[in-house]
Amino acid sequence: NQPAAVFQSFTIPQNLPGFIGEEGALRRAAISKSINRAEITDAIFQGTRTPASDFTSPVIAGWSDTIPGSEVLAFDETEAKALWAEADAIAPYTGTFTIGYNADGGHQAWVDAVTNSIKNTLGIAAEGAPYPDFKSLRDPITARTIPGAFRTGWQADYPSLYNFLGPLYSTGAGSNDGAYSNPAFDTLLKQGSAAASVDDANGLFDQAQEILLQDLPAIPLWYTNVVGGSGTEVGNVEFGWNSVPLLYQVTKG
């Protein structure tokens, strides 16, 4: 039972009323801090998820849980309420905060838990917004017409921090469903892609994540764990970054 290269989040569109500009930055941080990730991963997933501390995955080389700004992913009821109040001082929030999800995908329990955490912490109306199937959810996301936040996630194609960042958050990227754009973030990704070493690249990608932790185009929730077992007659059983057991290193006896 260990984190895998699978990342779960929900995305708040860049054009969502109440979540734009300075007001939006405060609300995004308040929403993030209002979610008790540890409690939800234990209660809903029986510990088979690991609360997120960044936008990538612990199984990727160069991963760090100490990126400046990552404290925004920690549950803090007092700070969440204070940030929401700051935003309300700019413009009062009205309506219901929703997270869209496809009802045929087994997501209702965690969406309900997350929205309940938001509701109970901030004292606002928050609830899941079920769509009948995946296509019904994706159509308004693609058309940029979905009227609330919506579930998002990523499974790595290859073991690089970049693979969790470029395809989802760079300007105009194919999986940038929230239409996020930040030139400073884009520049750091380009510099990282041209770096002379993996270590140099990862340092630049971490700087890029600092920007994401400020802007919160998506709210990181948790990493999906790979769960497996082995008999007592074998040893050295480990799973690789892609959730596949490393059979070549398993020992007998």
Side-chain angles (χ1 to χ4, degrees):
N1 184 26
Q2 66 186 47
V6 184
F7 171 83
Q8 182 73 58
S9 61
F10 63 86
T11 292
I12 302 175
Q14 294 296 297
N15 63 351
L16 190 66
F19 289 86
I20 303 168
E22 180 184 357
E23 175 193 355
L26 291 166
R27 293 201 193 283
R28 289 168 188 267
I31 289 285
S32 180
K33 285 180 171 287
S34 72
I35 301 167
N36 192 332
R37 294 164 178 80
E39 183 177 87
I40 293 170
T41 52
D42 283 344
I44 302 298
F45 297 111
Q46 292 76 52
T48 60
R49 304 292 188 273
T50 299
S53 53
D54 80 325
F55 285 81
T56 65
S57 166
V59 299
I60 305 300
W63 175 82
S64 172
D65 61 354
T66 58
I67 297 172
S70 61
E71 61 274 7
V72 76
L73 306 182
F75 178 61
D76 188 330
E77 183 176 1
T78 301
E79 182 66 11
K81 288 179 176 178
L83 290 166
W84 195 262
E86 277 190 68
D88 274 347
I90 297 173
Y93 185 77
T94 58
T96 300
F97 182 81
T98 60
I99 299 177
Y101 66 96
N102 51 305
D104 64 348
H107 300 287
Q108 180 179 353
W110 74 256
V111 171
D112 286 350
V114 168
T115 52
N116 281 337
S117 190
I118 294 169
K119 177 174 63 177
N120 294 336
T121 302
L122 298 178
I124 64 171
E127 62 188 23
Y131 289 73
D133 51 40
F134 187 67
K135 183 180 186 302
S136 299
L137 173 67
R138 289 300 308 176
D139 284 348
I141 292 174
T142 302
R144 304 291 193 258
T145 58
I146 193 164
F150 53 91
R151 77 162 191 90
T152 42
W154 191 254
Q155 182 166 0
D157 301 299
Y158 52 90
S160 168
L161 297 181
Y162 177 89
N163 187 236
F164 285 89
L165 306 176
L168 277 73
Y169 309 113
S170 62
T171 302
S175 296
N176 187 346
D177 291 327
Y180 174 69
S181 180
N182 185 313
F185 174 80
D186 292 341
T187 296
L188 286 166
L189 285 191
K190 290 178 182 177
Q191 292 174 345
S193 297
S197 69
V198 172
D199 287 344
D200 289 345
N202 287 340
L204 291 160
F205 296 149
D206 281 351
Q207 291 180 46
Q209 285 206 76
E210 290 184 45
I211 294 174
L212 293 184
L213 289 164
Q214 293 175 354
D215 293 347
L216 291 175
I219 307 298
L221 293 174
W222 44 74
Y223 320 110
T224 300
N225 289 10
V226 56
V227 180
S230 60
T232 56
E233 67 275 13
V234 295
N236 205 35
V237 177
E238 294 182 8
F239 287 79
W241 70 271
N242 58 354
S243 304
V244 175
L246 304 177
L247 298 177
Y248 64 86
Q249 70 176 32
V250 174
T251 58
K252 184 177 179 181

